[in-house]
Amino acid sequence: MSESSFRRHRRQLLQATAAAAALGALPTVRAQSDKILIGYWPIASGLPLYAGLERGFFKEAGLNVEGVKFQSAQQVAEAMISGRIHGSANGTASAVLALAEITSPGLFKIICSNPSNHKLVLDQFVVPIGSPIKSIAELKGKTVASGPGIQNLTLAKMILEKNGVTDARVIELPIGQHVPSLAAGQLDAVYTLEPTGTAGRLRGLTRVLENGVISKYILGNADAPWFGGSASVTSTFLKEQPELAKKYIAAYARSVDFVRKNPTQVRQHLDGFTSIDPSLVKEVPLAGFTLYNEFTEADIGYFQKFFDVFTERKIFSRTVPVKPLLYTA
């Protein structure tokens, strides 16, 4: 793919004029026949990949799997489009994957998604520890950061709007900079993802303003599952190396099972993959995980409602049906 073609793909994927600026940050990797490369970005919901790598589940299945760290979900999707990786880990923004599907129809299949809400905590608004702000509605006229990418930015703005805040200055900022920026007084609040809230709280620098904000304000039900991130494999991988892909999916499912059954023990695998201090990993709340063959009709309904929000706001150029995106064995 030529540089100009790659830039066109990026613009379509991000739906923003500034999107091409990060191209140079992509790791130099190439998908190889003897290695399965899975993209991730450093948040807590990527645990199934982290645990699978560190506990040897992939090796035991006879697989050579490598996690490839990216600075945003967009970069993961871009690498999938260009054939440089075989799939994404949990935590990769589902809406960004949907944009990639619009750009490159038939690009991938979802093998697992990570639902969260006010009980299965992932998404949150966080403020400095000494902030007088007690609710999202008090962020009028304030400076608020979101994580990088169109999904994070859109959701941050929508949650603010749902709370009557239409004049906040909302900026994108890498997740790892959220706590330092709050502590330095550069921001009034952030819309972020765990382990940010836990890391800031335990260091005495920040406090959580509200957890589970997507389910409450976007889906309209605090208990609803928000399938904000998804693990996937590319359709090319499934087609060209079907047996290898099946083995990988089975090994990933084994890792998901381990994460579910060992929530305390598994937290140690956040160290090295996310920015949280090793001494604090025991405190991080965990999202849920739903495998491709575990989705109920209600789950798919909430997942579709989430995607439809992006269609309604014209970020998606067309409706993206969720059900066809789910892997079927």
Side-chain angles (χ1 to χ4, degrees):
M1 182 182 290
S2 69
E3 181 70 6
S4 61
S5 295
F6 191 78
R7 286 183 181 276
R8 282 198 298 274
H9 275 296
R10 184 176 177 84
R11 282 195 296 271
Q12 289 175 303
L13 178 61
L14 299 185
Q15 302 283 296
T17 57
L23 273 172
L26 285 169
T28 304
V29 295
R30 184 177 299 279
Q32 303 170 19
S33 59
D34 63 339
K35 184 178 288 187
I36 301 171
L37 299 172
I38 303 298
Y40 74 94
W41 69 299
I43 61 173
S45 52
L47 260 177
L49 176 67
Y50 313 154
L53 290 169
E54 294 204 331
R55 294 199 164 263
F57 297 149
F58 300 123
K59 285 185 178 179
E60 289 175 15
L63 303 172
N64 183 11
V65 177
E66 180 179 319
V68 184
K69 184 178 179 179
F70 291 86
Q71 295 304 308
S72 69
Q74 282 83 348
Q75 290 183 0
V76 176
E78 290 156 8
M80 289 169 61
I81 289 172
S82 61
R84 299 167 69 222
I85 58 175
H86 297 88
S88 65
N90 275 103
T92 304
S94 299
V96 171
L97 290 175
L99 282 169
E101 172 67 17
I102 292 171
T103 301
S104 299
L107 176 66
F108 66 90
K109 294 295 180 183
I110 292 171
I111 61 171
C112 184
S113 195
N114 42 273
S116 58
N117 53 29
H118 69 114
K119 297 175 183 175
L120 298 167
V121 177
L122 176 64
D123 52 303
Q124 53 200 183
F125 265 74
V126 176
V127 296
I129 187 67
S131 172
I133 293 171
K134 294 183 173 57
S135 70
I136 296 173
E138 295 176 35
L139 292 173
K140 294 177 180 178
K142 303 297 186 181
T143 300
V144 180
S146 77
I150 193 66
Q151 174 169 306
N152 290 307
L153 190 63
T154 299
L155 292 174
K157 289 180 177 179
M158 287 187 67
I159 294 162
L160 289 167
E161 290 170 11
K162 294 282 186 179
N163 283 273
V165 180
T166 57
D167 61 349
R169 176 172 173 258
V170 184
I171 61 172
E172 295 180 57
L173 195 67
I175 290 282
Q177 295 180 27
H178 285 188
V179 170
S181 297
L182 287 170
Q186 298 168 345
L187 301 170
D188 296 296
V190 296
Y191 162 68
T192 192
L193 304 173
E194 282 289 356
T196 304
T198 297
R201 174 176 61 83
L202 294 178
R203 290 166 60 192
L205 298 175
T206 66
R207 62 179 172 83
V208 173
L209 188 63
E210 189 170 352
N211 283 320
V213 289
I214 306 302
S215 294
K216 180 177 178 180
Y217 297 111
I218 306 300
L219 300 181
N221 180 350
D223 293 312
W226 170 50
F227 294 99
S230 295
S232 67
V233 291
T234 65
S235 297
T236 298
F237 182 35
L238 288 167
K239 181 179 179 180
E240 295 182 354
Q241 298 174 289
E243 294 307 313
L244 198 64
K246 288 179 181 177
K247 286 183 179 180
Y248 169 74
I249 293 167
Y252 198 94
R254 179 187 175 192
S255 190
V256 168
D257 184 62
F258 180 84
V259 170
R260 288 171 174 166
K261 293 178 178 177
N262 301 275
T264 300
Q265 188 178 2
V266 79
R267 283 175 166 82
Q268 66 181 287
H269 302 303
L270 293 171
D271 179 26
F273 289 95
T274 72
S275 60
I276 192 165
D277 188 284
S279 64
L280 308 179
V281 295
K282 293 181 180 180
E283 301 291 334
V284 178
L286 301 182
F289 297 96
T290 302
L291 291 165
Y292 65 92
N293 56 358
E294 297 174 335
F295 277 87
T296 66
E297 287 303 314
D299 289 334
I300 294 173
Y302 278 118
F303 206 153
Q304 189 65 58
K305 184 175 182 179
F306 172 55
F307 273 8
D308 290 346
V309 165
F310 287 81
T311 306
E312 292 163 6
R313 292 180 75 95
K314 302 188 184 305
I315 293 168
F316 291 178
S317 59
R318 62 172 174 83
T319 298
V320 181
V322 170
K323 199 165 187 176
L325 296 180
L326 299 178
Y327 170 75
T328 53

